[in-house]
Amino acid sequence: PKMKEDYCLHAALLCLGVLCYSQALTMERLNHSRPSLHGHHEKGKEGQVLHRSKRGWVWNQFFVIEEYTGPDPVLVGRLHSDIDSGDGNIKYILSGEGAGIIFVIDDKSGNIHATKTLDREERAQYTLTAQAVDRNTNRPLEPPSEFIVKVQDINDNPPEFLHENYHANVPERSNVGTSVIQVTASDADDPTYGNSAKLVYSILEGQPYFSVEAQTGIIRTALPNMDREAKEEYHVVIQAKDMGGHMGGLSGTTKVTITLTDVNDNPPKFPQSVYQMSVSEAAVPGEEVGRVKAKDPDIGENGLVAYSIIDGDGVDTFEITTDYETQEGVVKLKKTLDYETKKSYSLKVEAANVHIDPKFISNGPFKDTVTVKIAVEDADEPPVFLKPSYIFEVQENAASGTVVGKVHAKDPDAANSAIRYSIDRHTDLERYFVINAEDGNIKTIKALDREEMAWHNISIFAVEVHKQHQEAKVPIAIKVVDVNDNAPKFAAAYEAFVCENARSNQQFITISADDKDDSANGPRFIFSLPPEIIHNPNFTLRDNRDNTASVLVRREGFSRQKQDLYLLPIVISDGGMPPLSSTNTLTIHVCGCDSSGSLLSCNAEAYVLNAGLSTGALIAILACIVILLVIVVLFVTLKRQKKEPLIVFEEEDVRENIITYDDEGGGEEDTEAFDIATLQNPDGINGFIPRKDIKPEYQYLPRPGLRPTPSSVDVDDFINTRIQEADNDPTAPPYDSIQIYGYEGRGSVAGSLSSLESATTDSDLDYDYLQNWGPRFKKLADLYGSKDTFDDDS
């Protein structure tokens, strides 16, 4: 409180001193600026020379202090002319900016006062015009003259910063004095007068980390090696104070948030020296084994770490990749493992920064290493065949039980369980082979035919004896080796034609052969005639030695009348070991040809047709005639037959009578005109109707109580009885099961729907509207019109 009172006292004394100084200066300026009038020479009435004084004052600037809050108006200055003798004849007039409102003048004394408190920051000066006139005549005694009233500044505005909060960044580990940011404040007071706008910057919060330049407001680092990993954000408060920072000055503050940006000043470091991992030997390549992570407190690209395997006995078996999202090293399997071969591996893994800052290279190597030990776990593996596939050979036609080959599989586990073998029967549906379950020997069950199937593809299962779920499968390809067991034959069903006028040694057909055996057992075919006809007088054979042979005519002059068909046996042998041969017959027809050798006819009976029909043709004609006669006889016989009825009636069935009568009756309840006897079948009274088409196995006896008495008039009971008899009668013809009666049933609750006689009955309905429906409904309008209409029509 005492310091506050002292501060107020000093301020009051300062204001008072400034006010007194301003008043003294104003009066001094006013005294120095009082006008002195020098007269001008003028001629009077009496010839006297009058001297008119010139204006002798020079208007200077007046000053008034701002923010004055005293009880009396502030005297700004005094206007006085040399011609003013003090008798009150001169009147002073003030005009211009603020005249009469802010500034008022005493028209007698010329004293100017400010009636309102002025603010230099709102307006720094006012331009006014002063004039001296005669009070009585208002004649100007002096020409108008302008002067300026300046508002004198006091320190009434504190400094203000451009922003309330500032944000800045500076790299960590920056040197002392590194510029961070510049803050700027402004003061509304007059910078040209006194120290009211002279600012000095100081730091209130943020030491000892930062400092600020007093004149410029530049914030700089004040401590070396500031570590972002220790503290990342700082809050600094900067003050700007006017009056040159002296006591009594006004001040303003702002907050500056300074963030340390990261640099790569920390190497990666593994939290432990050894990592233990395990992987099953059944794992497939590419499967993840485990993860390692080196910690780097840096962020962004400064914290990126790359992992690699630099040494160890598992360099070729494992690999490591970098997961940049989690910054972890992922150890993966590169090759398949075998527990029985190697049970553990060791790796030396290195983690290094991707980006290194040369300024901090002296901090040490930005990398770290760790040992990764990987244990291989034993897995229950299926049996393994020694080969991925097998190919065997066996001769065709080999005896049953011939050994084809042998497969072998073993259990890779340490237990080395016994193996049993079996054939996948889906691959051997014909059951050609069998395998010994103990030793894996494959044998034939029946003979194989290469020409039917040259290759057999089967699959063999190997299963552990004590673990049936562990099995392996291997494909077996069995080649059937060819044996020369098929003799060559004609390549086609050859049929040769030779002209009657053929010349000697004329070739008329070329033949070839096929052999189902492999080409190794028949590289070339040999054609020949049988020894017994080698000297055939009609035809001869020539082997072309290219698996073909030509048949030639040996003599000239063939006659179809003597012989029109020749059968020539030909022997074909293959080149197999041992060779096989077959005799094939070539059919040769003798034909008539023209002079150019073109065939005309090969029919031997062509010469006989001119004389008469052949025996075969006559037999065919007779057969057709006999068939026609038989058809005619059957048709006549069928026409003469008379079909007898299936049921013999002793008398005409009354149901065939059509009874027509015009008595409509009185409704559904009226049965007086209905004779129930017409519905009764006299032949079915006893319940039996004889049939001719079948013989009943037993006599049908109707059940007692089902047949109504002839005098009964209950039609419902009668119909139901007839239906039961028809359903239970096995001897009744099929058409007796359908019985139709013109009985409608009991009376309807709705009454009769008949429109008969409706026109003669009295009705409340009015059909006059039908007259308006047009000519199409004229007939209905006439029938159902009003009573008057009917009377008119009659």
Side-chain angles (χ1 to χ4, degrees):
K2 185 178 181 180
M3 291 180 64
K4 187 174 181 181
E5 291 176 0
D6 293 342
Y7 178 82
C8 295
L9 181 61
H10 282 85
L13 292 175
L14 179 62
C15 292
L16 182 60
V18 171
L19 180 60
C20 293
Y21 174 76
S22 175
Q23 287 284 59
L25 183 61
T26 303
M27 294 304 295
E28 183 179 359
R29 289 175 178 174
L30 183 60
N31 292 331
H32 285 292
S33 61
R34 286 179 179 177
S36 61
L37 300 177
H38 303 279
H40 295 280
H41 296 281
E42 293 182 357
K43 291 183 179 181
K45 295 179 179 180
E46 297 178 357
Q48 294 180 352
V49 179
L50 298 178
H51 297 278
R52 184 179 179 182
S53 300
K54 296 188 295 181
R55 180 168 62 88
W57 57 18
V58 179
W59 299 111
N60 293 325
Q61 293 181 349
F62 291 158
F63 295 89
V64 61
I65 193 167
E66 68 170 335
E67 303 293 347
Y68 176 72
T69 58
D72 299 325
V74 177
L75 177 64
V76 178
R78 182 182 181 186
L79 297 178
H80 186 74
S81 177
D82 291 341
I83 63 174
D84 186 3
S85 59
D87 54 3
N89 291 327
I90 296 178
K91 180 181 179 181
Y92 295 99
I93 300 174
L94 185 66
S95 63
E97 298 174 344
I101 301 174
I102 299 175
F103 302 102
V104 295
I105 189 171
D106 188 346
D107 58 356
K108 293 182 180 181
S109 62
N111 291 334
I112 300 173
H113 291 83
T115 62
K116 293 184 178 181
T117 301
L118 302 181
D119 187 0
R120 189 199 69 83
E121 286 72 37
E122 182 178 347
R123 186 159 189 171
Q125 65 181 22
Y126 298 86
T127 301
L128 300 171
T129 302
Q131 191 174 18
V133 299
D134 187 276
R135 183 177 296 277
N136 297 322
T137 65
N138 287 330
R139 181 175 59 86
L141 300 178
E142 295 285 349
S145 181
E146 289 186 354
F147 65 94
I148 296 174
V149 177
K150 284 192 174 182
V151 181
Q152 187 173 347
D153 181 53
I154 65 172
N155 189 20
D156 61 340
N157 292 280
E160 293 183 356
F161 284 92
L162 298 180
H163 303 285
E164 185 178 353
N165 293 287
Y166 289 84
H167 295 274
N169 297 323
V170 64
E172 63 174 332
R173 308 286 183 182
S174 296
N175 297 326
V176 175
T178 300
S179 175
V180 179
I181 191 175
Q182 182 178 16
V183 294
T184 304
S186 61
D187 197 319
D189 294 325
D190 189 1
T192 62
Y193 178 76
N195 295 326
S196 298
K198 185 178 182 180
L199 304 181
V200 174
Y201 298 93
S202 61
I203 184 169
L204 300 182
E205 294 181 17
Q207 301 97 337
Y209 306 104
F210 300 95
S211 62
V212 65
E213 292 184 356
Q215 305 301 325
T216 62
I218 297 176
I219 301 175
R220 300 181 182 274
T221 57
L223 279 182
N225 298 324
M226 285 191 292
D227 191 4
R228 184 200 66 84
E229 287 73 33
K231 186 176 182 180
E232 183 176 7
E233 193 173 80
Y234 296 84
H235 297 281
V236 178
V237 178
I238 301 297
Q239 181 190 64
K241 190 174 183 181
D242 58 13
M243 298 300 292
H246 294 92
M247 184 178 295
L250 303 178
S251 63
T253 60
T254 186
K255 293 181 180 179
V256 183
T257 302
I258 301 176
T259 303
L260 297 183
T261 58
D262 184 63
V263 297
N264 191 10
D265 59 339
N266 294 281
K269 187 71 176 177
F270 284 105
Q272 58 196 68
S273 59
V274 178
Y275 283 88
Q276 298 286 347
M277 300 179 183
S278 61
V279 60
S280 173
E281 64 172 335
V284 296
E287 187 172 333
E288 181 178 330
V289 178
R291 295 189 173 214
V292 297
K293 184 175 184 179
K295 296 183 178 180
D296 190 334
D298 296 323
I299 59 175
E301 66 176 14
N302 297 320
L304 294 179
V305 180
Y307 298 87
S308 60
I309 300 175
I310 59 176
D311 197 6
D313 57 0
V315 174
D316 297 332
T317 308
F318 299 91
E319 62 182 354
I320 190 169
T321 59
T322 303
D323 186 347
Y324 287 102
E325 291 186 1
T326 61
Q327 291 298 304
E328 293 176 321
V330 183
V331 181
K332 296 182 178 180
L333 184 62
K334 192 176 180 181
K335 294 182 179 180
T336 56
L337 302 173
D338 186 8
Y339 173 81
E340 289 72 27
T341 304
K342 189 172 179 61
K343 296 179 175 58
S344 64
Y345 294 87
S346 179
L347 302 175
K348 188 175 183 181
V349 176
E350 180 185 79
N353 277 138
V354 177
H355 303 282
I356 299 177
D357 193 339
K359 293 188 297 184
F360 303 100
I361 195 68
S362 59
N363 289 8
F366 285 81
K367 62 180 66 176
D368 194 16
T369 58
V370 71
T371 300
V372 179
K373 293 184 178 181
I374 303 174
V376 180
E377 297 178 348
D378 187 21
D380 189 8
E381 300 175 89
V384 177
F385 283 94
L386 298 184
K387 295 181 181 180
S389 62
Y390 292 86
I391 299 178
F392 298 130
E393 292 184 354
V394 61
Q395 285 190 346
E396 66 174 327
N397 302 327
S400 177
T402 301
V403 176
V404 177
K406 181 179 181 179
V407 296
H408 183 69
K410 65 176 182 178
D411 182 10
D413 298 323
N416 194 18
S417 301
I419 305 298
R420 295 187 66 86
Y421 305 93
S422 61
I423 297 178
D424 183 1
R425 287 304 172 188
H426 293 91
T427 61
D428 186 25
L429 297 175
E430 300 296 332
R431 294 185 176 267
Y432 287 105
F433 306 98
V434 68
I435 189 171
N436 189 307
E438 304 295 336
D439 57 13
N441 277 322
I442 303 174
K443 297 180 181 180
T444 61
I445 300 178
K446 52 187 177 181
L448 306 178
D449 187 0
R450 190 203 69 86
E451 288 71 39
E452 181 181 347
M453 187 180 294
W455 286 87
H456 292 266
N457 296 302
I458 64 174
S459 297
I460 303 297
F461 288 115
V463 182
E464 294 183 16
V465 174
H466 301 294
K467 298 175 183 177
Q468 298 294 327
H469 64 282
Q470 293 290 5
E471 67 177 15
K473 188 176 182 180
V474 67
I476 308 293
I478 301 174
K479 180 181 179 181
V480 181
V481 180
D482 184 48
V483 174
N484 192 18
D485 57 347
N486 290 278
K489 296 181 180 180
F490 276 158
Y494 292 109
E495 191 172 10
F497 301 91
V498 64
C499 294
E500 289 181 307
N501 56 356
R503 299 185 307 273
S504 178
N505 293 326
Q506 179 182 352
Q507 175 183 337
F508 60 89
I509 190 171
T510 300
I511 60 175
S512 62
D514 281 339
D515 194 334
K516 293 183 179 180
D517 292 324
D518 191 62
S519 59
N521 288 316
R524 192 180 76 80
F525 299 117
I526 301 171
F527 299 86
S528 63
L529 295 177
E532 62 272 13
I533 63 167
I534 194 170
H535 298 293
N536 189 313
N538 299 315
F539 306 100
T540 184
L541 183 69
R542 183 180 64 205
D543 193 339
N544 297 325
R545 298 182 179 277
D546 60 353
N547 291 333
T548 64
S550 299
V551 182
L552 297 86
V553 177
R554 174 169 287 188
R555 68 179 179 87
E556 294 182 359
F558 290 89
S559 175
R560 285 180 290 170
Q561 294 180 350
K562 292 181 180 181
Q563 185 174 352
D564 63 342
L565 184 65
Y566 292 89
L567 300 178
L568 180 64
I570 298 175
V571 178
I572 308 175
S573 301
D574 59 21
M577 294 298 293
L580 294 178
S581 63
S582 65
T583 301
N584 301 265
T585 301
L586 176 63
T587 302
I588 303 173
H589 296 275
V590 179
C591 302
C593 304
D594 57 12
S595 59
S596 63
S598 299
L599 296 179
L600 295 178
S601 175
C602 296
N603 191 351
E605 299 176 355
Y607 298 100
V608 185
L609 291 176
N610 295 329
L613 294 176
S614 63
T615 305
L618 292 175
I619 293 174
I621 292 173
L622 291 176
C624 291
I625 294 174
V626 171
I627 292 173
L628 290 174
L629 290 175
V630 171
I631 292 174
V632 171
V633 171
L634 291 175
F635 181 78
V636 173
T637 303
L638 292 175
K639 290 291 287 182
R640 291 183 177 181
Q641 288 182 354
K642 182 179 180 181
K643 186 176 180 181
E644 297 182 5
L646 296 178
I647 302 176
V648 180
F649 295 96
E650 296 179 359
E651 58 183 355
E652 186 178 3
D653 194 350
V654 295
R655 289 176 294 178
E656 295 181 0
N657 296 333
I658 299 178
I659 303 174
T660 303
Y661 53 93
D662 295 330
D663 187 1
E664 185 178 343
E668 296 170 352
E669 297 292 340
D670 188 4
T671 57
E672 294 179 358
F674 181 75
D675 187 5
I676 194 65
T678 61
L679 297 178
Q680 297 177 354
N681 184 8
D683 293 330
I685 295 299
N686 296 327
F688 173 73
I689 300 176
R691 295 184 57 174
K692 289 185 63 179
D693 55 343
I694 60 171
K695 181 180 180 181
E697 296 181 359
Y698 58 91
Q699 184 67 26
Y700 171 69
L701 296 177
R703 290 182 297 177
L706 293 180
R707 187 175 72 249
T709 60
S711 60
S712 174
V713 294
D714 192 345
V715 182
D716 283 345
D717 293 341
F718 176 79
I719 292 176
N720 291 333
T721 303
R722 297 298 293 164
I723 291 175
Q724 292 182 11
E725 290 179 0
D727 291 340
N728 298 320
D729 184 5
T731 63
Y735 47 79
D736 267 1
S737 62
I738 302 176
Q739 303 184 32
I740 301 174
Y741 305 99
Y743 179 68
E744 296 185 16
R746 300 285 181 180
S748 174
V749 178
S752 176
L753 300 180
S754 175
S755 62
L756 298 178
E757 298 181 359
S758 58
T760 60
T761 58
D762 295 334
S763 175
D764 296 334
L765 296 178
D766 186 8
Y767 296 97
D768 290 342
Y769 60 87
L770 294 175
Q771 299 290 341
N772 301 325
W773 282 17
R776 293 187 179 182
F777 297 92
K778 184 176 182 304
K779 189 66 175 177
L780 288 177
D782 294 342
L783 292 175
Y784 296 98
S786 62
K787 183 176 181 183
D788 296 339
T789 303
F790 286 111
D791 295 341
D792 295 340
D793 292 342
S794 60

